[in-house]
Amino acid sequence: MSFMNDLLLDPITHDLSIVGLDLAVVRGADRIRQNVLIKLRLWQGEYFLDTEFGTPYIEQILGKRISLGGAVAAL
């Protein structure tokens, strides 16, 4: 069984975390937490290399006539 690793981001500066001369990695539940926070902090269309990535705040969460169920489904 292989485990996925991601590069660890500093929780305060959001920069890559470096330990000594190496990039730190994150795995397990902390990896999932970091990925969820990245998705929630990024507005959909903000990342120019993948405009579909991010949370669709404007289209599906903020605005008039948006239902709670629709907003929860968008998240």
Side-chain angles (χ1 to χ4, degrees):
M1 179 181 217
S2 66
F3 294 96
M4 301 272 310
N5 295 329
D6 277 331
L7 295 174
L8 178 64
L9 298 178
D10 183 278
I12 297 179
T13 64
H14 309 293
D15 291 331
L16 291 174
S17 182
I18 299 174
V19 177
L21 297 175
D22 297 324
L23 291 171
V25 296
V26 62
R27 58 178 65 100
D30 290 330
R31 176 182 171 266
I32 294 169
R33 179 186 169 278
Q34 177 175 289
N35 287 341
V36 168
L37 287 175
I38 289 170
K39 173 106 174 157
L40 290 174
R41 288 181 180 140
L42 190 70
W43 290 53
Q44 188 174 30
E46 185 176 4
Y47 182 51
F48 71 98
L49 292 176
D50 185 359
T51 57
E52 296 298 314
F53 185 75
T55 304
Y57 287 112
I58 294 174
E59 298 85 358
Q60 297 180 14
I61 297 175
L62 300 175
K64 299 176 183 173
R65 301 182 189 259
I66 303 293
S67 68
L68 178 60
V72 170
L75 291 174

